[in-house]
Amino acid sequence: MITEEKRVQRRAHIADTAMRLFAERGFEEVTVNEVAEAAGVVKATLFGYFPTKESLVLHVLDDDLARVVAERAPGQTPLRALREHYHGAVAEPAGSYVPELSAMVRVIQRSPALIAGVSRFRGEQAEALVKALVEAGEPDGIRVRLMAAHIVTAVSTVQETFFQRLTDGMTPLAAGRLVGGDLDLAFDLLERAFGEFSEFGGDER
């Protein structure tokens, strides 16, 4: 019986192995079989952790915005919950995973398949967020879809800016200091654009 700790370690090992191979040779040039063999697992085991080849890379971007909204504290608006969620995330030191992030950015930038995958992922994020916002009290329609699209775009822009700074050689400490301000600017703009929702959304719980 594999313990949860062992599962987490194996998943990380598979992902690290895949990223190393993709960084060395390019995403399109490496097969799933090669990743599995290099990681010391069978292909079925690999797919048990990562359902697609793209997810070996894009799992790093996986952040469940809909869950953050659905599980927000009573009286807390969706935008406030998301702001606090991301501030909590950037409070963690970035130094230990800078090489992995830099490799991920390079691999994605060089792969048309992964660039398309990022676009699909953002679309799926927005669709899930629409449902969560409607459940939070926002009437279904064009407004909630615009809101979800703007939130996903704002968050992804902050993330991509952070990744690019690291790739360009900025120290993790300096990049971390800037990303907090970027988040506040993004959510300040979102709250100005969708202030009415911020007022009533937090009272619906």
Side-chain angles (χ1 to χ4, degrees):
M1 186 72 176
I2 300 178
T3 65
E4 182 60 27
E5 182 179 1
K6 287 290 186 182
R7 284 183 57 83
V8 170
Q9 291 174 350
R10 177 178 287 179
R11 187 175 191 273
H13 174 63
I14 294 170
D16 290 345
T17 301
M19 190 63 69
R20 175 176 56 80
L21 293 175
F22 296 152
E24 290 173 355
R25 294 165 48 198
F27 179 77
E28 279 79 10
E29 302 304 318
V30 178
T31 68
V32 172
N33 283 335
E34 288 175 314
V35 174
E37 182 178 355
V41 299
V42 299
K43 188 163 71 169
T45 298
L46 183 150
F47 281 132
Y49 290 95
F50 300 96
T52 66
K53 183 181 176 183
E54 287 81 3
S55 67
L56 285 162
V57 178
L58 300 183
H59 75 94
V60 179
L61 302 177
D62 191 11
D63 200 2
D64 196 344
L65 306 187
R67 180 188 56 79
V68 174
V69 170
E71 297 179 1
R72 71 194 190 282
Q76 189 178 43
T77 69
L79 288 176
R80 175 57 59 179
L82 288 166
R83 184 195 290 258
E84 292 182 3
H85 167 74
Y86 281 104
H87 269 294
V90 301
E92 300 176 4
S96 61
Y97 55 86
V98 168
E100 289 82 359
L101 289 177
S102 298
M104 180 199 71
V105 171
R106 289 194 298 271
V107 168
I108 291 175
Q109 288 175 339
R110 296 169 183 170
S111 169
L114 288 175
I115 291 172
V118 170
S119 180
R120 286 195 304 273
F121 172 75
R122 297 303 186 198
E124 291 166 1
Q125 248 189 341
E127 285 298 318
L129 187 54
V130 166
K131 294 178 182 177
L133 291 171
V134 169
E135 290 176 1
E138 175 71 8
D140 197 2
I142 184 62
R143 175 185 163 85
V144 74
R145 294 187 175 279
L146 286 170
M147 184 186 303
H150 277 77
I151 291 170
V152 170
T153 299
V155 168
S156 62
T157 300
V158 171
Q159 290 173 333
E160 289 162 8
T161 301
F162 174 65
F163 295 155
Q164 193 59 54
R165 285 172 180 151
L166 296 178
T167 301
D168 291 343
M170 184 176 286
T171 66
L173 182 60
R177 286 172 176 166
L178 290 174
V179 78
D182 294 342
L183 283 170
D184 280 332
L185 174 60
F187 280 99
D188 285 348
L189 292 172
L190 287 167
E191 287 177 354
R192 289 174 194 168
F194 302 105
E196 293 177 11
F197 177 81
S198 297
E199 291 174 6
F200 87 83
D203 297 328
E204 293 295 311
R205 290 172 62 89

